Amino acid sequence: IVGRAIYYFVRITLVLARIFPVSWAYRFSAFLVFLSLKLDWGRKRIALANLKIVFPGKSDTERITILKEALTNMLKNYYEMAYVINGKIRAGDISLMVSATGLENLDKLKDENRGAILYSGHFGNFALMFTWLAIKGYPIAAVYKDARHFPDEYLGNIMRGLKVTPIKFKSDAQVTVEILRALREKKIVLMLNDQSHPQGIYINFFGKSVPSPAGPALLAKRAKVPVIPAYIYRDNKNHHHVTILPEMPLKAEEDNEKFLLVNTQMMIDWIAEILLKHPTEWLWLHNRWKRARS
């Protein structure tokens, strides 16, 4: 029931985005968050627990303030992509919505005809980030998973329309093969690597031992491609800023397990650094520490 409701909510949103200007969507986002924070719901409790782990020294009021802005940004991101998908925001408009630093790090890859892993987390409007990069001519590929009750290839077809190469997730083994193929084709593959994974390796994340996927480190080693960190954030004028950083050099280790552990920890430490820098851009609703162990 929930999955079907989400599907129809998406369809209705796409219709409404054809009628109302995006400025209305921004105001509506703030209104929805105002109402939601008056209620007691499961994901809100998870988000506040997450915030307490990351910011133990802040007051409850300060943590609520961070969550309020983060939820507002999340809804704005959702509505913006609805306007992009239905064509109300076109390629020229997208170019004006985003500015970037560090594009020379991707230009170097294009000049050398090399693939790469574009490493990031659930920061800001990451869908807008890879859409903007694809419109700018970078060979972007991204992993997606079909949502339940959505038509087959619904999201994949949307991504193709935005000039992004979709990599459909069916299983860990299958998606590994597909990502390696994309890297051999000199694609720049976006990988978001900040969520919990039952088969992940345990690393330290804000003082707790939690599992994290070792995929980016493993794939970079197998394909012999660089890992390029990147993230996007929104300013108070709803303009987006993309930061592309230089290659993150992987640490060499003879033992494969140690290689994965050391480099996954290094990558997660970078996620933590960006989270502290832009806390209102992260997806706090995800239960990141649910598999924590002592």
Side-chain angles (χ1 to χ4, degrees):
I1 294 173
V2 172
R4 192 173 295 277
I6 290 172
Y7 171 66
Y8 285 115
F9 177 71
V10 169
R11 295 299 299 272
I12 290 169
T13 301
L14 291 173
V15 171
L16 293 177
R18 293 183 179 276
I19 302 170
F20 300 106
V22 69
S23 58
W24 287 31
Y26 291 154
R27 289 194 288 270
F28 186 55
S29 297
F31 174 70
L32 284 180
V33 171
F34 171 78
L35 290 181
S36 70
L37 290 180
K38 299 292 183 183
L39 305 174
D40 182 33
W41 41 291
R43 289 289 169 176
K44 175 187 171 184
R45 292 194 296 271
I46 288 171
L48 290 174
N50 290 343
L51 279 157
K52 194 169 186 178
I53 290 170
V54 176
F55 298 109
K58 290 188 180 293
S59 66
D60 290 344
T61 300
E62 288 173 316
R63 290 193 284 264
I64 282 284
T65 299
I66 292 173
L67 179 58
K68 179 181 178 181
E69 188 172 343
L71 290 176
T72 303
N73 285 336
M74 183 187 73
L75 284 177
K76 286 180 177 180
N77 298 338
Y78 171 74
Y79 288 123
E80 282 172 348
M81 292 313 298
Y83 282 86
V84 169
I85 290 166
N86 70 17
K88 286 281 283 187
I89 295 179
R90 301 183 183 277
D93 302 315
I94 294 173
S95 294
L96 296 175
M97 291 171 65
V98 181
S99 56
T101 58
L103 287 177
E104 64 275 7
N105 297 306
L106 297 185
D107 293 333
K108 182 180 178 183
L109 293 172
K110 286 179 67 177
D111 293 342
E112 296 174 353
N113 194 29
R114 298 178 69 195
I117 291 172
L118 193 65
Y119 182 80
S120 192
H122 289 77
F123 295 113
N125 196 339
F126 56 86
L128 183 65
M129 178 176 72
F130 67 68
T131 299
W132 184 81
L133 289 171
I135 288 172
K136 290 293 182 182
Y138 297 100
I140 301 294
V143 178
Y144 80 98
K145 190 174 183 179
D146 265 340
R148 190 176 297 177
H149 298 296
F150 280 60
D152 191 37
E153 295 294 327
Y154 183 81
L155 297 177
N157 289 331
I158 288 173
M159 291 168 72
R160 290 184 190 94
L162 298 174
K163 300 182 179 180
V164 176
T165 300
I167 300 175
K168 186 176 181 178
F169 178 90
K170 295 179 181 177
S171 68
D172 287 338
Q174 168 270 336
V175 81
T176 297
V177 172
E178 294 298 322
I179 291 174
L180 287 171
R181 179 181 293 118
L183 292 172
R184 285 196 298 269
E185 294 172 352
K186 318 305 180 188
K187 303 289 187 184
I188 299 171
V189 181
L190 175 70
M191 297 189 72
L192 307 179
N193 196 49
D194 54 348
Q195 296 197 335
S196 181
H197 193 286
Q199 279 78 51
I201 58 175
Y202 275 79
I203 47 84
N204 175 55
F205 192 49
F206 289 100
K208 293 186 179 292
S209 182
V210 293
S212 185
L218 178 64
L219 289 163
K221 183 179 181 181
R222 281 191 185 179
K224 296 182 174 60
V225 296
V227 176
I228 307 295
Y231 65 95
I232 183 172
Y233 66 94
R234 179 193 303 270
D235 64 23
N236 57 11
K237 295 181 180 179
N238 291 312
H239 185 77
H240 299 267
H241 301 266
V242 170
T243 301
I244 310 291
L245 296 172
E247 176 184 353
M248 182 185 290
L250 299 185
K251 298 177 182 178
E253 298 287 348
E254 289 187 10
D255 180 76
N256 190 58
E257 287 188 14
K258 187 174 182 181
F259 171 85
L260 295 178
L261 178 62
V262 167
N263 286 291
T264 300
Q265 182 67 67
M266 178 177 66
M267 293 179 181
I268 294 299
D269 287 344
W270 178 80
I271 292 286
E273 178 186 335
I274 303 306
L275 193 161
L276 291 174
K277 189 176 181 180
H278 298 285
T280 59
E281 297 291 337
W282 199 54
L283 183 63
W284 292 101
L285 299 181
H286 173 65
N287 197 352
R288 181 63 179 93
W289 286 272
K290 65 182 175 182
R291 296 185 176 92
R293 68 184 186 188
S294 58

